[in-house]
Every structure is written in structure tokens, then in C-alpha cells.
């Protein structure tokens, strides 16, 4: 009995005792090894006419003996190679694993087994499902075949054996079933079939297995067909990945079907992108913009990522490094030959190739979004309704570090067009002399449309963007401007544009100075200031914010889970300079200050209601109101 090399033994231990739930990846690993071995022989066959090029990988199962066999007719291994390759840790992929586990230290056992899936430590993963592994191998061009056997940690033996053709046959003696894992499932036709479909569909060589099919008996009459159960060999994989097919052979319908199958969606995507990219990294990709946000999209549970393939072999189910958060809704696959098959999570984060890949993918997504916005507006709007919030958070995140690349994807509802418009469209259509991008915030479009400040702005012919999402106003603050035009809330804007209007307002402010002071005193800390405004039409009064925090922002802060209500916008009560309430207030100021206070409370409470805020004290408000009535 020979001993495994130290590192190999550690990994082997890990595999044997693995609590890793995704044990099924062993099949992907073994099939991928078989495919590599065939690749090597295929290369030789280019110059050697004697090679049998009927390449294939055969899976066979024996339920009684509990064995699963994976056989290839590839290059095979000599005695020395069996020793070297299976007795020692393989340099290529497992090296990364070695490094990572060394860095993590001895104690990180649980972590290690979590790493298995991400590393895919090749051949040794067989020990996750088998307690004994036999490898029969005959190197192409050699006379002798050898058999490598191991029951795991104790070591392994190598001896001469008989084997017909060149290649490798791996026999797995499956572990006894446990509550956690029914290993015998791997002997079931459906399980094997679905695993191959899921992980190895695009392997270039046929993966065959014997299946049971019910078929019509030959010669049985049409009106009374008879069926019989037959066993036949079937190829389980499609061999050609859809993204490797020439573009002209791939219809939109195929892409949509592929999307629905792969990503378990019942709806067609809004857009399917098929691209072959050559540049600093070369890759094929299929990207999809889903039609609907998954139910958990805006929660912590949602995991973004693209399916990563290396030369047709799936390396990672969801590689999150390939997508920025704000494009996290994009689904798809990426296949590049420039990556190592056994790339690790640690390596992923620093890997230059992966970074270049991510950058290139982001560019592709951006350009497709732009195109969609210009050419397929209806679908873009649908997309924005589902995922716009993610893009908005992207603008806001990191103090606006990505705002330049994202601002053109933003859309807001326009008061004038009564539909979504982009900032560019808004600014391009601004009338001469308009200085600002006007917005108004509220919980819903209806509520915003009913805001008192809106009327005057509309009357003046200004287009107003409706900010309905909590993040919108924060966005305006982060963006500060678009194309040189600053954002301005209608509640802070002054729409008295003509000189006469301004003079008139000033005059009135002077005239009612004492009244306004009295009202401010009546309201105390509730407001920072009381002033006149010419911006209102029908309503007598409204609230404006007097500081950096707007009333909408106050609402957002206070709706956060651990809000204590301490963040408050400075509020300014604005009374309409044109409303007849003004003369009534003046009258009370001179005759009945008690009643004036009640009026003040009602005006203030009403202004709060218009902003979607409840009066601070409902009792005080209702009492004042009743007294007046
Ligand atoms: P990796 O595939 O990352 O190199 P493995 O542990 O899976 O690591 O395999 C170790 C080595 O064993 C491979 O590099 C290959 O040389 C050899 N090997 C594994 N499976 C086969 C096979 N089916 N046919 C020929 N060689 C194989």
C-alpha cells in the first residue's frame, strides 16, 4: 500500500468527510477530466492516423453492486502517471486550493468544505460520493494497462491489469445512503441524465448511457399500437453549446427557450443578447434582461451573478464578480478559454482576467441598455419599472462614483408628457431661460400631482419630474446637476418670474410682516419660518423645506427600520399671497389673536396633510378646526 502525498491526503480527508451539500459536482469533474483526456488524444490524432477517433464518454451503472462507471477512450495513463497524477496533488487547479487552505490555517475545516464546490478539486471529488475508487487506465500506444485502487485515506495500490482499448475507466463504489445524502440516486437514470444536462451539456464529446425507453413494437397495427420496454444507448448531452453556434443558426426563440430553461423563468426575457467578444479577453456570452424582478430581488437574499464556463465546462453557477450590483438583474452565461478551470473564489476577486471580463461585460450591458432605450423604448420602460431602482441605488452608492456612467439610464415621470422621460430628454426640451430641472416628491404620482406647489409651476409651463421613490431626492443631491442644469425642488423654487410679480410679493411681505411674525410665534418650533409665496394657486398654504433635508427625505429616514424620528426637515409655512385667507388672517390679527392661533394651527396641519404628513398632534388639529367651524 502506498501513501498519498501530504497535501493530497489533506484534500482527500476533506472529500471523504465532506459535509459539502453539492456532492453531485463530482460527475462534472470526472467528465471534464475525461473530456480533457480525449482532447489530448484528439490532438495526437491530427498527425497519427491510427487513433480511433470515435471519441466518447460512457456512463454505466450497476444498482446491485452500487457502482457508477465513467469511461473514456482518451489518452489514458501509464503506471507512473497514475502514481503521479492520482497520488499527488495535481499542480493545475488544486494548487490554488492548497494555498487558500494554508492561508486559512488548520481550523477552518467547515470553510474548507465550503470551498470544495468553488474549487472543484478534480479527481478527488470522487471520494465525496464513493468509499472505494478503481481506476483502470491504458495509455495510448502502450501495451500494458494498470489499475489504481484506493479506499481513501489509507493509501492506494497500483497493479497491472487487463483493459481492451486506450483510455480510462473509473469505477465508483458509492457510499451507503444516509439521511443527508441518498448516494444511490446517482445510479438512477433520471438523476444521471439531469446532472449531465445541467453541468456537462456542452462537453464536445458524446456522453452516453443506457436508458430505458418505451417504444412502439415494430409491426404493431396503427389502430392498436403496442409498446415494449427497450434498453438503448443514448447521448445525454447536446455537445454544442448554443453560444458556440454561429449567430445565424441561433433564433431569438432558441435564446428565449434557453433562458427559461436555464434560469427557471416562465416568461420570455425582455431582451436576449448573443455576443462573441474579442479583445483583452475573448469570450462568448449570452445575456438576458428578465421581464420581471424576482420576488427577492430587492432583498439581501438575492444573489446576482453569471454562469461561468471555461471552454464549455461549467466552473461556477453564479459568478458574482462578473456583474456590478446595479446590473445585478442581468442573467446569463459567459464562456471564456482565458480562465483556468479550477479558478478559486479568492483568485476570482483579484484575477486580472476576471476583472477584464467583468469590465467588458459591463460595457456590453451598458451599450445594449442604451440601444434598447433608443430603439425599443417600450421594453426599456418595462425594464426600468422593474429594475430602475437598482440603477438608482447604483447612482447613489459610493457617493456617486458611478453616476456618470449611469445617469443616462435614469427615467422619471414627467408632468408634461405624462410618461417616463430621461434626464437628457428633459434638459433638451427645456424652454429658453429655464434654469433648473424641477422635481416634486411624494409617495405616488397622484399625490405629487395634488401638491399645492405644482399648480403654479404647471401654469408657468414648466415640466416637472415626479420623484416617487424614496431614493430619488437623494439622487438629485448626489447628481447635483445634469448637463449643467441643477436640480431644484418645486417647493424650494420661486416661480414669480416677472419683475412686477416680485415687487408685488415684496410689498405684501412688508405689509403683513407683523401678522407673519405672530403666526410663527403661534406655531413655535413646528416651523422655522412663516412667509408669503406667490407660487400657490388654489391652496391657501403649503410647506417648504428650509434646510438640506427635505420633507420627503425626512419621510425616507423615518421609514427606516431603526429610525427614532429624530431626523426632521426644517419646515417653512408658506401662505399664498393671492389667497383671500390672507385678509381674513389680517382681520383676526387685529381683532382676535386666540382665533388667529387656531387658524394658524389648521393652516399648518392642512399643509402637512398635503405633503403626506399627519398633523403632529391630531387632537390639537381637530380641536382647532372644530372651534373655527
Ligand atoms: P486536474 O484535472 O485539475 O489536473 P485532477 O485531480 O482532476 O486535477 O486530475 C489530475 C490529473 O490526472 C489530470 O491532470 C490528468 O493528467 C490525470 N487524469 C485525471 N483523469 C484522467 C482521465 N480520465 N484520463 C487521463 N488522465 C486523467
Amino acid at each position: 500500500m502506498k501513501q498519498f502525498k501530504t497535501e493530497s491526503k489533506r484534500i482527500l480527508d476533506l472529500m471523504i468527510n465532506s459535509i459539502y451539500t453539492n456532492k453531485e459536482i463530482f460527475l462534472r469533474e470526472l467528465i471534464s477530466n475525461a473530456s480533457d483526456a480525449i482532447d489530448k488524444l484528439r490532438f495526437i490524432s491530427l498527425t497519427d492516423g491510427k487513433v480511433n477517433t470515435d471519441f466518447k464518454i460512457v456512463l454505466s451503472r450497476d444498482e446491485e453492486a452500487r457502482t457508477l462507471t465513467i469511461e473514456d477512450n482518451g489518452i489514458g495513463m501509464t503506471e507512473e502517471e497514475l502514481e503521479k497524477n492520482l497520488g499527488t496533488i495535481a499542480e493545475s487547479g488544486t494548487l490554488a486550493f492548497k494555498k487558500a487552505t494554508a492561508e486559512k490555517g488548520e481550523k477552518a475545516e467547515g470553510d474548507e468544505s465550503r470551498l470544495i464546490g468553488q474549487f472543484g478539486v478534480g479527481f478527488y471529488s470522487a471520494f465525496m460520493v464513493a468509499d472505494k475508487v478503481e481506476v483502470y487506465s491504458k495509455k495510448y500506444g502502450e501495451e500494458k494497462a494498470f489499475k489504481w485502487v484506493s479506499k481513501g485515506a489509507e493509501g492506494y495500490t497500483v497493479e497491472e491489469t487487463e483493459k481492451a482499448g486506450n483510455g480510462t475507466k473509473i469505477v465508483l463504489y458509492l457510499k451507503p445512503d444516509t439521511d443527508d445524502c441518498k448516494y444511490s440516486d446517482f445510479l438512477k437514470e433520471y438523476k444521471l441524465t439531469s446532472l449531465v444536462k445541467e453541468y456537462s451539456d456542452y462537453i464536445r464529446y458524446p456522453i452516453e448511457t443506457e436508458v430505458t425507453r418505451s417504444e412502439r413494437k415494430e409491426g404493431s397495427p396503427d389502430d392498436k399500437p403496442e409498446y415494449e420496454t427497450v434498453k438503448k444507448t443514448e447521448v445525454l448531452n447536446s455537445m454544442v453549446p448554443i453560444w458556440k453556434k454561429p449567430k445565424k443558426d441561433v433564433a431569438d426563440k432558441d435564446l428565449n427557450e434557453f433562458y427559461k430553461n436555464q434560469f427557471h423563468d416562465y416568461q420570455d426575457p425582455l431582451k436576449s443578447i448573443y455576443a462573441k467578444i474579442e479583445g483583452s479577453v475573448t469570450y462568448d456570452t449570452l445575456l438576458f434582461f428578465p421581464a420581471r424582478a424576482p420576488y427577492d430581488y430587492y432583498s439581501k437574499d438575492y444573489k446576482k451573478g453569471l454562469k461561468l464556463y471555461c471552454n464549455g465546462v461549467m466552473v461556477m453557477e453564479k459568478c458574482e464578480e462578473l456583474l456590478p450590483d446595479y446590473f445585478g438583474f442581468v442573467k446569463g452565461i459567459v464562456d471564456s478559454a482565458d480562465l483556468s478551470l479550477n479558478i478559486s473564489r479568492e483568485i476570482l476577486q483579484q484575477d486580472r482576467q476576471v476583472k477584464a471580463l467583468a469590465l467588458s461585460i459591463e460595457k456590453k450591458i451598458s451599450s445594449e441598455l442604451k440601444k434598447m432605450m433608443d430603439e425599443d423604448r417600450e421594453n426599456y420602460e418595462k425594464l426600468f419599472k422593474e429594475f430602475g431602482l437598482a440603477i438608482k441605488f447604483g447612482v447613489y452608492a459610493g457617493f456617486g462614483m458611478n453616476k456618470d456612467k449611469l445617469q443616462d439610464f435614469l427615467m422619471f415621470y414627467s408632468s408634461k408628457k405624462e410618461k417616463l422621460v430621461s434626464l437628457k430628454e428633459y434638459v433638451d426640451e427645456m424652454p429658453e431661460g429655464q434654469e433648473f430641472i424641477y422635481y416634486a416628491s411624494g409617495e405616488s404620482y397622484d399625490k405629487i400631482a395634488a401638491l399645492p406647489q405644482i399648480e403654479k409651476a404647471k401654469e408657468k409651463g414648466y415640466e416637472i419630474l415626479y420623484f416617487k421613490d424614496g431614493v430619488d431626492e437623494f439622487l438629485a443631491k448626489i447628481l447635483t446637476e445634469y448637463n449643467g442644469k441643477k436640480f431644484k425642488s418645486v417647493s424650494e423654487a420661486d416661480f414669480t418670474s416677472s419683475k412686477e410679480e416680485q415687487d408685488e410679493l415684496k410689498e405684501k411681505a412688508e405689509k403683513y410682516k407683523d401678522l407673519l411674525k405672530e403666526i410663527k410665534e403661534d406655531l413655535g418650533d413646528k416651523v422655522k419660518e412663516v412667509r408669503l409665496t406667490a407660487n400657490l394657486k388654489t391652496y391657501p398654504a403649503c410647506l417648504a423645506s428650509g434646510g438640506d433635508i427635505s420633507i420627503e427625505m425626512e419621510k425616507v429616514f423615518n421609514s427606516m427600520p431603526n429610525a427614532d424620528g429624530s431626523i426632521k426637515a426644517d419646515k417653512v409655512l408658506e401662505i399664498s399671497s393671492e389667497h383671500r385667507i390672507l385678509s381674513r388672517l389680517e382681520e383676526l390679527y387685529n381683532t382676535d389673536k386666540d382665533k388667529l392661533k387656531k387658524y394658524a394651527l389648521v393652516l399648518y396641519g392642512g399643509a402637512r396633510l398635503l405633503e403626506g404628513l399627519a398633523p403632529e398632534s391630531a387632537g390639537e388639529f381637530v380641536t382647532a378646526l372644530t372651534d373655527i367651524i
Side-chain angles (χ1 to χ4, degrees):
M1 178 84 53
K2 299 189 179 179
Q3 298 300 309
F4 286 103
K5 294 266 156 46
T6 332
E7 279 305 335
S8 311
K9 193 168 177 310
R10 263 189 83 203
I11 289 191
L12 205 58
D13 277 344
L14 250 167
M15 293 297 159
I16 295 163
N17 304 311
S18 172
I19 48 160
Y20 182 58
T21 47
N22 209 13
K23 296 181 199 287
E24 62 198 31
I25 60 138
F26 79 92
L27 190 64
R28 171 193 84 180
E29 296 294 320
L30 298 182
I31 289 177
S32 151
N33 278 348
S35 167
D36 287 348
I38 298 177
D39 270 342
K40 285 177 197 158
L41 187 59
R42 186 165 81 157
F43 185 71
I44 291 175
S45 76
L46 299 177
T47 52
D48 179 349
K50 291 193 296 294
V51 176
N52 166 20
T53 52
D54 182 19
F55 295 123
K56 60 183 169 191
I57 299 163
V58 178
L59 309 179
S60 38
R61 36 190 217 286
D62 181 336
E63 296 208 33
E64 226 153 280
R66 287 182 72 88
T67 57
L68 175 64
T69 304
I70 297 119
E71 182 165 13
D72 66 69
N73 53 357
I75 184 101
M77 284 176 273
T78 61
E79 182 177 14
E80 293 75 44
E81 282 169 335
L82 276 171
E83 287 248 0
K84 186 171 137 284
N85 294 336
L86 309 185
T88 333
I89 191 163
E91 278 305 294
S92 62
T94 28
L95 198 69
F97 186 88
K98 198 163 101 180
K99 199 166 143 265
T101 50
E103 276 164 14
K104 292 216 167 213
E106 293 291 321
K107 281 204 220 79
E109 206 74 29
D111 262 2
E112 285 183 17
S113 53
R114 209 159 36 76
L115 291 172
I116 295 170
Q118 288 145 8
F119 284 99
V121 277
F123 173 76
Y124 290 107
S125 61
F127 287 96
M128 290 201 293
V129 297
D131 47 22
K132 178 175 161 195
V133 178
E134 292 172 354
V135 181
Y136 299 81
S137 201
K138 187 174 185 181
K139 179 94 174 191
Y140 174 72
E142 300 276 327
E143 288 292 312
K144 290 180 177 170
F146 293 88
K147 176 183 174 187
W148 179 101
V149 184
S150 173
K151 287 186 172 172
E154 303 144 42
Y156 61 90
T157 56
V158 182
E159 63 192 59
E160 208 179 317
T161 187
E162 289 296 313
K163 189 181 177 305
N166 56 274
T168 304
K169 179 167 101 176
I170 299 178
V171 184
L172 307 177
Y173 291 80
L174 297 182
K175 294 181 183 179
D177 291 357
T178 65
D179 288 346
D180 291 334
C181 188
K182 245 186 119 208
Y183 296 96
S184 53
D185 276 352
F186 296 123
L187 297 172
K188 301 268 190 297
E189 182 181 320
Y190 76 89
K191 183 75 181 173
L192 224 48
T193 315
S194 66
L195 284 181
V196 171
K197 269 260 162 264
E198 184 170 357
Y199 294 108
S200 314
D201 192 48
Y202 313 113
I203 291 286
R204 271 178 286 189
Y205 309 103
I207 303 168
E208 295 180 354
T209 198
E210 189 175 78
V211 294
T212 320
R213 292 278 177 268
S214 169
E215 283 188 356
R216 185 152 158 204
K217 259 189 192 161
E218 226 172 291
S220 68
D222 272 354
D223 53 343
K224 237 173 108 202
E226 283 171 50
Y227 291 89
E228 61 184 344
T229 308
V230 293
K231 286 196 186 292
K232 55 194 289 194
T233 300
E234 246 178 39
V235 175
L236 303 179
N237 54 330
S238 68
M239 294 194 278
V240 185
I242 186 167
W243 62 90
K244 289 276 185 208
K245 290 181 184 167
K247 203 164 186 164
K248 64 173 175 41
D249 294 347
V250 181
D252 271 353
K253 192 176 101 307
D254 301 333
L255 289 177
N256 289 351
E257 276 316 306
F258 175 82
Y259 164 80
K260 286 189 283 191
N261 266 314
Q262 284 278 313
F263 301 104
H264 312 288
D265 197 346
Y266 62 95
Q267 268 179 313
D268 280 344
L270 287 177
K271 181 153 188 70
S272 305
I273 301 153
Y274 169 107
K276 293 182 173 297
I277 310 243
E278 279 176 38
S280 56
V281 271
T282 297
Y283 62 97
D284 300 323
T285 186
L286 296 176
L287 299 171
F288 303 95
F289 298 166
R292 188 158 301 181
Y295 70 96
D296 62 350
Y297 185 63
Y298 290 105
S299 80
K300 278 204 197 75
D301 298 334
Y302 182 78
K303 293 251 179 308
K304 59 169 180 158
L306 298 176
K307 220 168 188 173
L308 183 61
Y309 284 81
C310 173
N311 247 343
V313 179
M314 191 183 83
V315 201
M316 205 172 287
E317 188 76 36
K318 264 189 187 168
C319 180
E320 45 179 320
E321 282 77 10
L322 294 178
L323 288 177
D325 283 342
Y326 40 86
F327 291 155
F329 57 87
V330 178
K331 304 261 183 210
I333 70 100
V334 173
D335 190 347
S336 173
D338 296 351
L339 300 169
S340 131
L341 178 59
N342 283 343
I343 196 156
S344 77
R345 185 146 293 280
E346 272 82 1
I347 291 176
L348 264 181
Q349 275 157 13
Q350 300 138 20
D351 192 78
R352 267 187 31 238
Q353 293 294 64
V354 174
K355 284 217 171 94
L357 197 55
L359 208 67
S360 168
I361 290 166
E362 178 174 355
K363 265 201 205 133
K364 182 72 192 160
I365 296 173
S366 290
S367 74
E368 290 293 336
L369 281 176
K370 187 83 201 50
K371 209 161 87 193
M372 200 174 172
M373 205 170 178
D374 295 341
E375 295 166 14
D376 187 8
R377 182 60 169 251
E378 197 183 320
N379 271 334
Y380 184 81
E381 284 180 25
K382 276 190 201 155
L383 180 103
F384 194 79
K385 277 181 188 137
E386 294 294 318
F387 304 109
L389 207 51
I391 297 180
K392 287 178 180 178
F393 283 122
V395 172
Y396 179 67
F399 302 101
M401 61 192 258
N402 294 312
K403 66 181 184 186
D404 287 344
K405 49 182 175 184
L406 295 178
Q407 58 185 2
D408 281 317
F409 297 129
L410 296 175
M411 299 202 107
F412 299 100
Y413 186 86
S414 148
S415 61
K416 211 177 231 172
K417 304 240 178 61
E418 298 187 336
K419 64 179 177 101
L420 294 174
V421 297
S422 69
L423 292 175
K424 182 165 188 313
E425 287 159 353
Y426 181 98
V427 169
D428 283 353
E429 288 170 35
M430 266 162 95
E432 189 110 1
Q434 182 179 339
E435 237 185 294
F436 299 103
I437 300 172
Y438 290 112
Y439 65 84
S441 324
E443 281 154 51
S444 66
Y445 292 151
D446 287 348
K447 281 191 181 160
I448 300 172
L451 282 176
Q453 297 92 332
I454 290 271
E455 283 184 301
K456 197 67 173 222
K458 275 190 179 164
E459 191 188 67
K460 294 269 173 189
Y462 291 129
E463 180 173 17
I464 301 154
L465 299 178
Y466 287 4
F467 282 7
K468 176 171 69 73
D469 292 327
V471 68
D472 289 346
E473 257 188 295
F474 296 86
L475 275 189
K477 297 261 183 273
I478 281 277
L479 289 169
T480 62
E481 55 156 48
Y482 180 85
N483 255 356
K485 300 289 182 187
K486 289 205 160 57
F487 287 89
K488 199 166 197 82
S489 160
V490 289
S491 59
E492 282 160 24
D494 183 4
F495 295 116
T496 49
S497 43
S498 72
K499 176 96 176 51
E500 291 94 81
E501 278 179 308
Q502 281 174 23
D503 286 347
E504 197 186 324
L505 186 65
K506 257 192 221 138
E507 228 169 78
K508 279 194 183 159
E510 186 54 35
K511 181 174 162 201
Y512 294 109
K513 200 173 70 187
D514 293 337
L515 167 68
L516 297 173
K517 210 171 134 216
E518 179 74 22
I519 296 176
K520 159 72 183 115
E521 268 160 34
D522 285 342
L523 294 175
D525 286 346
K526 293 182 168 81
V527 293
K528 201 178 142 221
E529 194 190 336
V530 177
R531 65 179 176 223
L532 291 185
T533 177
N535 289 344
L536 295 178
K537 254 185 87 192
T538 26
Y539 294 106
C542 70
L543 285 183
S545 27
D548 277 342
I549 300 173
S550 75
I551 293 165
E552 252 340 280
M553 286 156 95
E554 171 184 319
K555 281 191 241 168
V556 173
F557 281 127
N558 289 331
S559 67
M560 288 178 185
N562 42 8
D564 56 4
S566 64
I567 295 173
K568 284 212 184 316
D570 286 334
K571 297 176 190 71
V572 177
L573 180 68
E574 293 192 325
I575 298 173
S576 170
S577 62
E578 278 153 47
H579 202 280
R580 59 198 165 82
I581 191 84
L582 196 57
S583 49
R584 174 73 177 135
L585 292 172
E586 176 72 356
E587 191 186 315
L588 290 173
Y589 176 68
N590 293 323
T591 58
D592 188 348
K593 292 233 167 71
D594 268 356
K595 201 157 196 183
L596 177 66
K597 181 168 182 180
K598 286 169 186 157
Y599 268 66
L601 286 170
V602 170
L603 277 180
Y604 170 71
R608 282 183 70 94
L609 284 172
L610 286 169
E611 286 289 340
L613 294 169
E616 277 150 337
S617 160
E620 189 183 47
F621 177 70
V622 173
T623 311
L625 187 63
T626 322
D627 283 353
I628 295 172
I629 299 169

